[in-house]
């Protein structure tokens, strides 16, 4: 206990410090230690107040998630909290870093809370498919009122200390946690402040008791984007108990809701995703002690959709950008689009009114590649052909400063081939952003055979700095994301030849939880892009070609696989598309058949999983979890299904293999099972058991 909890007596103040790196999570040892120290301090006649604080980078960041799913060890967190709340002397939580989940719940059981300026406070349990299980849903509404409580509990995002102060969640902003907490404790004693037990304070929920719409409106606003998820709705119900029931009954109902979610498939998947994202930070083949190169300024080549979005991501994080185009006109257009984008976000209240000007000021738009000289990282986002890329990298070799990391945003091309056009292939790698690049969080960091480890971790660290989720991948056509996505894209096209309609395929995928189906996505991106590329490569796809020949390029032409009302982005199924499909099939002498939703789902998902297995087999991705992170953040895979590899484990690899074999017989070798899939099934293992050979 003395290792994780330290109790110091500063005359009449007991300072209790939790020291359990990395994030002071509430493991059994921490819970037990806090309980024992609090009991010790309370019975000490010299002690008049207790300050509860933490060492290291943060206040308690929540329950210890690694303990979930294992037999529970005493003491229960709720018992620790009721000892704190019922203490006869004031207990003050002195917060720095992040007080999250059980950490904030513990602070809410204290009589007073103070926090440093940069601290954040939140109940993010919904992001793990849970609801706060230690009184958070009952005490937070009593502290800040039901509207903000719903926002924090159902949305899961933390609030900064200033907002916490404004809303009565903390009493004061302090300089440092230990000294500030102690000074505040002395003030409480000097002023003889009465102990504030939130459980007994109903002043902030009184209005919602009289008019429940205050609560229900807040819930309706927060659950709008929670399609398919269980936790936000259960969490909202739990906040409702705070309004409708006496405290102890509410606490009991909260606990029931928490335990139900704890064993749910959704929460298991969400907790898996949490750890998968963190494991993806661990990169093999980087010698211990390798340091990331400093990145103070970046240059981006190309102010088109991708380049502009990437530049916005850097400016959003406060990093200055030199944005380069070969001509004035394209540059002006690119800069104008960024400005408009930010202004639209500011108009919606998403960023402060002065943010667009401040962010634009960080972007220096210039003409000419020779201007890359002062950048520590150069990201090329120019036209996607090898010849163009090689030309650009050849010039970069001439103008970029020594030691600059040279990244290509290519989504398919061979990074090593691109690197050959420089005399510094060790500085070259891929940083593949996803469209729209200012929104999508994934960044595939493509490692070539000659990429230097420090260049690699520089790209990883920099992408984290701009709030992206980096995943290191190896070299192959399309890397992880597009290589897998193309498998389902191919099937989507083929399903039309057999009788499915675009709206049926899309509906199956959105029901599964994907944000949109492939045909809505294609309408959004522009159907002509694929058409032009097919023409270029001499490839035919009769239905998609007929669609484009009819001028149905997608949203931009008001019709594509769907039709769109003027000014609307809502896809409306169009009988004209069904006719077009039927005519094309008749011309090809093919007959439509009924295709079941089940068949659609299997044919869209299993080839993805199979390709994922090949990617692992070939060492292109280090772990199945890395592939899942790619799908979660690159394509909006529903987090409550973990990712395609996790999903495959849940439905059973033997079932996937059997179906792939069946489809191979009827449809051909595109359904040939991956060797790794065969091996895992033969050995009775799952993707979760897979690790790359050392
Ligand atoms: C809860 O509290 C339930 C209660 O209501 C009811 C209970 C009855 N447990 O993210 P990082 C590890 S639910 C165990 O890279 P950062 C993490 O795996 C919980 N481990 O750092 C990583 O390990 P490794 C509610 C945890 O600075 C290391 O710490 N709380 C936990 O970017 C560093 O993590 C949450 O949901 C944990 N709770 O971000 C908060 N948290 O080095 C979850 C982290 O071996 N945590 N680890 O890979 C976070 O959001 C971020 O970790 C935090 C730090 C913002 C704290």
């Amino acid at each position: 206990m003395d290792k994780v909890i330290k109790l110091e007596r500063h005359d009449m103040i007991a300072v209790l410090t939790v020291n359990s790196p990395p994030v002071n999570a509430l493991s059994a040892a921490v819970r037990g230690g806090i309980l024992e120290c609090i009991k010790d301090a309370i019975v000490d006649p010299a002690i008049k107040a207790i300050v509860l604080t933490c060492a290291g980078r943060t206040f308690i960041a929540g329950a210890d998630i690694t303990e979930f799913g294992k037999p529970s060890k005493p003491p229960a967190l709720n018992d620790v909290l009721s000892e704190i709340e019922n203490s006869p002397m004031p207990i003050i939580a002195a917060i720095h870093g992040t007080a999250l989940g059980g950490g904030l719940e513990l602070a809410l059981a204290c009589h007073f809370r103070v926090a440093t300026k940069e601290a954040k406070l939140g109940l993010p349990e919904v992001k793990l498919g849970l609801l706060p299980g230690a009184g958070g849903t009952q005490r937070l509404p009593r502290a800040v009122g039901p509207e903000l409580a719903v926002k924090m509990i159902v949305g899961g995002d933390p609030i900064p200390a200033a907002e916490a102060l404004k809303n009565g969640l903390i009493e004061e902003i302090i300089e440092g946690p230990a000294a500030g907490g102690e000074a505040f404790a002395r003030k409480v004693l000097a002023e003889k402040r009465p102990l504030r037990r939130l459980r007994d304070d109903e002043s902030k929920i009184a209005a919602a008791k009289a008019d429940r719409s205050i609560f229900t409106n807040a819930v309706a606003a927060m659950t709008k984007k929670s399609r398919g998820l269980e936790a936000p709705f259960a969490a909202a119900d739990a906040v409702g108990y705070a309004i409708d029931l006496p405290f102890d009954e509410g606490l009991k109902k909260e606990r029931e809701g928490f335990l139900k979610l704890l064993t749910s498939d959704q929460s298991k998947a969400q907790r898996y995703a949490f750890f998968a994202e963190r494991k993806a930070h661990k990169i093999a083949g980087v010698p211990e002690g390798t340091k990331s190169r400093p990145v103070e300024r970046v240059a981006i080549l190309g102010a088109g959709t991708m380049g502009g979005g990437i530049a916005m991501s850097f400016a959003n994080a406060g990093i200055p950008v030199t944005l380069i185009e070969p001509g004035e006109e394209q540059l002006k257009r690119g800069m104008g689009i960024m400005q408009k984008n930010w202004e639209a976000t500011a108009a919606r209240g998403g960023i402060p009114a002065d943010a667009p000007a401040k962010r634009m000021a960080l972007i220096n738009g210039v003409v000419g590649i020779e201007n890359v000289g002062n950048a520590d990282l150069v990201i090329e986002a120019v036209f996607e052909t090898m010849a163009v890329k090689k030309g650009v990298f050849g010039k970069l070799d001439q103008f970029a400063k020594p030691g600059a990391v040279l990244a290509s945003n290519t989504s398919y091309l061979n990074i090593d081939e691109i690197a050959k056009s420089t005399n510094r292939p060790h500085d070259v790698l891929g940083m593949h952003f996803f469209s729209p690049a200012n929104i999508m969080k994934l960044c595939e960091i493509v490692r070539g055979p000659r990429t230097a480890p420090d260049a690699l971790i520089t790209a990883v660290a920099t992408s984290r700095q701009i709030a992206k989720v980096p995943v290191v991948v190896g070299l192959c056509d399309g890397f992880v994301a597009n290589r897998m996505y193309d498998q389902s894209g191919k099937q989507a096209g083929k399903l039309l030849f057999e009788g499915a309609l675009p709206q049926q395929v899309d509906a199956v995928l959105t029901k599964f939880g994907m944000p949109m189906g492939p045909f809505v996505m294609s309408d959004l991106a522009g159907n002509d892009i694929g058409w032009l590329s097919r023409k270029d490569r001499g490839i035919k796809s009769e239905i998609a070609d007929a669609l484009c020949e009819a001028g149905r390029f997608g949203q931009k032409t008001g019709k594509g696989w769907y039709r769109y009302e003027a000014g609307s982005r809502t896809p409306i199924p169009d009988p004209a598309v069904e006719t077009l499909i039927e005519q094309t099939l008749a011309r090809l002498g093919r007959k439509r058949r009924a295709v079941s939703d089940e068949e659609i789902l299997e044919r869209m998902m299993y080839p993805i999983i199979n390709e994922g297995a090949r990617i692992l087999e070939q060492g292109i991705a280090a772990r199945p979890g890395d592939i899942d992170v790619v799908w979660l953040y690159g394509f909006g895979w529903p987090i409550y299904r973990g990712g395609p590899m996790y999903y495959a484990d849940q439905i059973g690899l033997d079932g996937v293999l059997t179906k792939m074999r069946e489809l191979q017989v009827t449809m051909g070798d595109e359904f040939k099972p991956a060797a790794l899939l065969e091996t895992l099934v033969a050995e009775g293992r799952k993707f979760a058991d897979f690790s790359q050979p050392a």
Side-chain angles (χ1 to χ4, degrees):
M1 175 195 323
D2 23 281
K3 279 207 196 102
V4 289
I5 313 287
K6 187 171 70 177
L7 176 61
E8 288 170 302
R9 290 172 170 81
H10 298 170
D11 61 78
M12 59 187 175
I13 313 284
V15 179
L16 199 161
T17 309
V18 181
N19 186 7
S20 181
V23 295
N24 291 314
L26 286 161
S27 61
V30 170
R31 296 194 303 273
I34 295 176
L35 185 63
E36 201 163 328
C37 289
I38 297 269
K39 282 182 171 168
D40 279 357
I42 288 174
V43 295
D44 185 337
I47 297 297
K48 302 293 178 229
I50 301 168
V51 174
L52 208 160
T53 189
C54 289
R57 66 204 232 208
T58 179
F59 192 76
I60 297 165
D64 185 342
I65 310 169
T66 59
E67 285 186 355
F68 291 164
K70 298 181 187 157
S72 57
K73 285 192 194 153
L77 185 55
N78 267 330
D79 294 341
V80 181
L81 268 47
S82 76
E83 183 76 22
I84 291 175
E85 195 163 49
N86 293 325
S87 150
M89 65 179 66
I91 302 187
I92 294 110
I95 296 166
H96 75 293
T98 44
L100 298 178
L104 179 57
E105 292 178 296
L106 182 132
L108 284 163
C110 293
H111 308 106
F112 304 99
R113 287 156 295 283
V114 289
T116 57
K117 195 165 78 195
E118 78 295 340
K120 288 196 170 138
L121 299 88
L123 292 175
E125 283 87 343
V126 280
K127 301 204 172 179
L128 299 171
L130 297 169
L131 56 83
T137 62
Q138 306 305 295
R139 290 192 183 92
L140 189 63
R142 285 170 164 85
V144 301
E147 281 169 293
L148 181 56
V150 165
K151 196 169 158 217
M152 290 173 71
I153 293 170
V154 178
D157 289 331
I159 58 168
E163 196 178 343
L165 180 68
K166 200 171 100 199
N167 290 282
L169 181 53
I170 60 170
E171 316 288 327
E172 259 182 29
I173 302 271
I174 50 170
E175 284 295 321
E182 199 177 317
F184 183 80
R186 290 185 196 284
K187 187 153 63 173
V188 166
L189 292 177
E191 292 172 3
K192 295 195 171 55
R193 284 201 203 181
L195 302 192
R196 184 171 176 223
R197 294 192 173 89
L198 283 171
R199 55 169 293 139
D200 299 330
D201 184 350
E202 300 215 329
S203 55
K204 291 221 173 159
I205 51 175
K209 273 180 185 289
D211 175 6
R212 220 170 173 280
S213 70
I214 294 176
F215 163 70
T216 48
N217 289 345
V219 171
M222 281 316 293
T223 47
K224 256 196 269 173
K225 289 193 181 155
S226 305
R227 187 174 65 95
L229 290 162
E230 290 160 3
F233 297 94
D237 287 348
V239 178
Y241 305 142
I243 298 164
D244 301 331
L245 301 174
F247 182 83
D248 286 328
E249 273 181 52
L251 200 63
K252 198 166 148 249
K253 296 277 281 179
E254 176 202 77
R255 185 80 196 149
E256 284 166 17
F258 172 78
L259 291 176
K260 192 168 163 211
L261 288 179
L262 193 61
T263 52
S264 69
D265 290 341
Q266 289 205 353
S267 177
K268 284 181 196 156
Q270 287 176 253
R271 273 143 44 200
Y272 160 82
F274 175 85
F275 286 114
E277 188 182 329
R278 275 145 191 92
K279 278 194 200 124
H281 298 162
K282 300 182 178 25
I283 307 160
V286 175
E288 185 97 13
T290 306
K291 284 210 168 63
S292 152
R293 303 179 194 173
V295 173
E296 276 161 23
R297 176 160 208 107
V298 302
I300 295 166
L301 303 178
T305 315
M306 282 315 286
I310 299 168
M312 286 177 78
S313 301
F314 278 97
N316 286 343
I319 299 173
V321 176
T322 307
L323 185 62
I324 301 173
E325 266 289 348
E328 272 302 341
E329 208 173 301
Q330 300 103 302
L331 182 64
K332 220 171 123 198
R333 183 154 22 94
M335 297 286 280
I337 292 173
M338 286 188 285
Q339 172 122 22
K340 260 201 210 139
N341 262 334
W342 272 317
E343 278 168 1
T345 313
R348 284 197 307 270
I351 51 172
D354 61 351
K358 281 189 181 158
R359 293 178 197 192
M360 282 307 290
L362 283 169
I363 300 183
N364 178 27
V366 291
V367 170
I369 196 167
E370 62 280 7
N371 291 299
V372 296
N374 63 356
D376 307 299
L377 165 67
V378 183
I379 303 175
E380 159 281 307
V382 302
F383 198 67
E384 184 79 352
T385 70
M386 184 55 88
V388 174
K389 304 267 188 205
K390 283 186 115 169
V392 165
F393 272 76
K395 287 199 185 123
L396 278 182
D397 201 24
Q398 208 180 323
F399 297 116
K401 72 176 175 191
V405 174
L406 309 180
S408 169
N409 177 50
T410 179
S411 39
Y412 285 90
L413 299 172
N414 185 330
I415 291 293
D416 197 43
E417 190 57 36
I418 295 175
K420 280 185 192 156
S421 50
T422 73
N423 286 311
R424 34 176 142 171
H426 50 281
D427 290 335
V428 177
L429 45 74
M431 283 180 85
H432 177 211
F433 292 84
F434 287 70
S435 188
N438 53 320
I439 309 278
M440 296 306 285
K441 293 188 78 174
L442 179 65
C443 183
E444 277 184 315
I445 311 283
V446 189
R447 176 192 217 160
R450 291 178 290 168
T451 305
D454 67 333
L456 186 73
I457 61 165
T458 303
V460 169
T462 310
S463 50
R464 287 191 80 189
Q465 228 181 320
I466 59 168
K468 300 293 175 202
V469 177
V471 178
V472 174
V473 301
L475 215 54
C476 66
D477 191 34
F479 317 123
V480 171
N482 286 345
R483 176 170 161 183
M484 288 174 77
Y485 189 85
D486 285 354
Q487 294 301 318
S488 66
K490 238 190 267 170
Q491 289 308 314
K494 290 195 170 177
L495 283 160
L496 300 186
F497 282 92
E498 285 167 57
L501 289 177
Q503 54 266 36
Q504 187 193 2
V505 175
D506 284 347
V508 168
L509 289 189
T510 46
K511 188 166 165 231
F512 180 81
M514 299 301 290
M516 62 179 85
F519 295 103
V520 170
M521 177 112 89
S522 183
D523 270 1
L524 184 69
N527 300 319
D528 50 328
I529 298 175
W531 185 43
L532 292 176
S533 137
R534 282 196 299 277
K535 277 200 207 171
D536 209 33
R537 289 176 291 153
I539 300 172
K540 275 185 104 41
S541 175
E542 280 85 353
I543 297 175
D545 292 350
L547 191 86
C548 286
E549 276 149 23
R552 304 187 70 114
F553 293 166
Q555 276 192 22
K556 60 186 168 192
T557 52
K559 51 190 183 160
W561 294 108
Y562 297 85
R563 66 182 181 83
Y564 300 85
E565 302 278 327
S568 160
R569 290 165 173 242
T570 309
I572 304 168
D574 191 344
V577 172
E578 186 167 355
T579 309
L580 183 144
I581 292 174
E582 272 171 351
Q583 285 169 347
T584 312
L585 293 185
R587 184 162 47 80
L588 298 173
R590 296 182 71 132
K591 257 200 147 111
R592 273 181 80 183
R593 67 174 172 91
V595 184
S596 72
D597 288 358
E598 192 191 358
E599 179 180 343
I600 291 175
L601 190 64
E602 286 171 348
R603 282 184 51 183
M604 296 293 287
M605 291 297 164
Y606 290 9
I608 290 177
I609 295 165
N610 197 49
E611 200 63 28
R614 286 207 183 101
I615 282 171
L616 286 172
E617 221 170 86
Q618 295 162 5
I620 303 292
R623 291 160 284 253
D626 288 17
I627 297 180
D628 287 335
V629 174
V630 161
W631 276 78
L632 289 166
Y633 292 104
F635 299 122
W637 178 278
I639 188 143
Y640 56 85
R641 293 190 195 275
M645 311 317 278
Y646 178 86
Y647 169 69
D649 275 351
Q650 305 317 301
I651 52 178
L653 294 192
D654 47 351
V656 177
L657 178 62
T658 307
K659 194 77 211 174
M660 288 294 290
R661 282 182 180 149
E662 265 173 49
L663 287 164
Q664 187 186 12
V665 172
T666 52
M667 316 278 306
D669 269 355
E670 66 191 283
F671 287 96
K672 186 173 188 300
L676 178 64
L677 185 60
E678 304 259 17
T679 310
L680 290 176
V681 172
E683 293 172 357
R685 294 160 70 215
K686 295 175 159 202
F687 284 125
D689 307 318
F690 172 83
S691 57
Q692 293 292 357

